[in-house]
Coordinates of all heavy atoms in Angstrom, one line a residue:
K86 N 93.4 132.4 138.1 CA 94.6 133.1 138.4 C 94.6 134.5 137.7 O 94.2 134.6 136.6 CB 95.9 132.4 138.0 CG 96.0 131.1 138.8 CD 97.4 130.5 138.5 CE 97.6 129.2 139.4 NZ 98.8 128.6 139.2
L87 N 95.0 135.5 138.4 CA 94.9 136.8 137.8 C 96.3 137.4 137.4 O 96.4 138.6 137.1 CB 94.3 137.8 138.9 CG 92.9 137.4 139.4 CD1 92.5 138.4 140.5 CD2 92.0 137.5 138.2
E88 N 97.3 136.6 137.3 CA 98.6 137.1 136.9 C 98.6 137.8 135.6 O 99.2 138.9 135.5 CB 99.6 135.9 136.9 CG 99.9 135.4 138.3 CD 100.1 133.9 138.3 OE1 100.0 133.3 137.3 OE2 100.3 133.4 139.4
P89 N 98.0 137.2 134.5 CA 98.1 138.0 133.3 C 97.1 139.1 133.2 O 97.2 139.9 132.2 CB 97.7 136.9 132.2 CG 96.8 136.0 133.0 CD 97.3 136.0 134.4
L90 N 96.1 139.2 134.1 CA 95.1 140.2 134.0 C 95.2 141.4 134.9 O 94.6 142.4 134.7 CB 93.7 139.6 134.2 CG 93.4 138.5 133.2 CD1 92.1 137.8 133.7 CD2 93.3 139.0 131.8
H91 N 96.0 141.3 135.9 CA 96.1 142.3 137.0 C 97.5 143.0 137.0 O 98.5 142.3 137.1 CB 95.8 141.7 138.3 CG 95.8 142.8 139.4 ND1 94.8 143.8 139.5 CD2 96.6 142.9 140.5 CE1 95.1 144.5 140.5 NE2 96.2 144.1 141.1
D92 N 97.5 144.3 136.9 CA 98.7 145.0 137.0 C 98.8 145.6 138.4 O 97.9 146.3 138.8 CB 98.7 146.1 136.0 CG 100.0 146.9 135.9 OD1 100.9 146.6 136.7 OD2 100.0 147.9 135.2
P93 N 99.9 145.3 139.2 CA 99.9 145.8 140.6 C 99.9 147.3 140.7 O 99.6 147.9 141.7 CB 101.2 145.2 141.1 CG 102.0 144.7 140.0 CD 101.0 144.5 138.8
R94 N 100.3 148.0 139.6 CA 100.3 149.5 139.7 C 99.0 150.2 139.4 O 98.9 151.4 139.5 CB 101.4 150.0 138.8 CG 102.8 149.6 139.2 CD 103.9 150.3 138.4 NE 105.2 149.8 138.8 CZ 106.0 149.3 138.0 NH1 105.8 149.1 136.7 NH2 107.2 148.9 138.5
S95 N 98.1 149.4 138.8 CA 96.8 150.0 138.4 C 95.9 150.0 139.6 O 95.9 149.1 140.4 CB 96.2 149.2 137.3 OG 95.9 147.9 137.7
T96 N 95.0 151.0 139.6 CA 94.0 151.1 140.7 C 92.7 151.5 140.0 O 92.7 152.1 138.9 CB 94.4 152.2 141.7 OG1 94.6 153.5 141.0 CG2 95.6 151.8 142.4
E115 N 92.3 150.2 134.3 CA 92.1 148.7 134.2 C 91.1 148.3 135.3 O 91.2 148.6 136.4 CB 93.5 148.1 134.6 CG 93.4 146.6 134.6 CD 94.7 145.9 134.9 OE1 95.7 146.6 134.8 OE2 94.6 144.8 135.3
V116 N 90.1 147.7 134.8 CA 89.0 147.2 135.7 C 89.3 145.7 136.0 O 89.5 145.0 135.0 CB 87.6 147.4 135.0 CG1 86.5 146.9 136.0 CG2 87.4 148.8 134.6
P117 N 89.5 145.4 137.2 CA 89.8 144.0 137.6 C 88.7 143.0 137.1 O 87.5 143.3 137.0 CB 89.9 144.0 139.1 CG 90.1 145.4 139.5 CD 89.4 146.2 138.4
L118 N 89.2 141.8 136.8 CA 88.3 140.8 136.4 C 87.1 140.5 137.3 O 86.0 140.2 136.9 CB 89.1 139.5 136.1 CG 88.3 138.3 135.5 CD1 87.8 138.7 134.1 CD2 89.2 137.1 135.4
E119 N 87.4 140.5 138.6 CA 86.4 140.2 139.6 C 85.2 141.2 139.5 O 84.1 140.9 139.6 CB 86.9 140.3 141.0 CG 87.9 139.2 141.3 CD 89.3 139.7 141.2 OE1 89.6 140.7 140.5 OE2 90.2 139.0 141.7
Y138 N 84.6 144.8 145.8 CA 86.0 144.5 145.4 C 87.0 145.1 146.4 O 87.9 144.4 146.8 CB 86.3 145.0 144.0 CG 87.7 144.8 143.6 CD1 88.2 143.5 143.2 CD2 88.6 145.9 143.5 CE1 89.5 143.4 142.8 CE2 89.9 145.7 143.1 CZ 90.4 144.5 142.8 OH 91.7 144.3 142.4
R142 N 89.5 143.1 148.9 CA 91.0 143.3 148.7 C 91.6 143.6 150.0 O 92.8 143.3 150.2 CB 91.3 144.4 147.7 CG 90.9 144.1 146.2 CD 91.7 142.9 145.7 NE 93.1 143.4 145.4 CZ 94.0 142.6 144.9 NH1 93.7 141.4 144.7 NH2 95.2 143.1 144.6

Side-chain angles (χ1 to χ4, degrees):
K86 295 189 177 183
L87 298 176
E88 290 143 0
L90 301 173
H91 182 67
D92 183 5
R94 294 191 182 121
S95 65
T96 58
E115 179 181 339
V116 180
L118 183 63
E119 294 97 343
Y138 175 75
R142 291 297 284 182

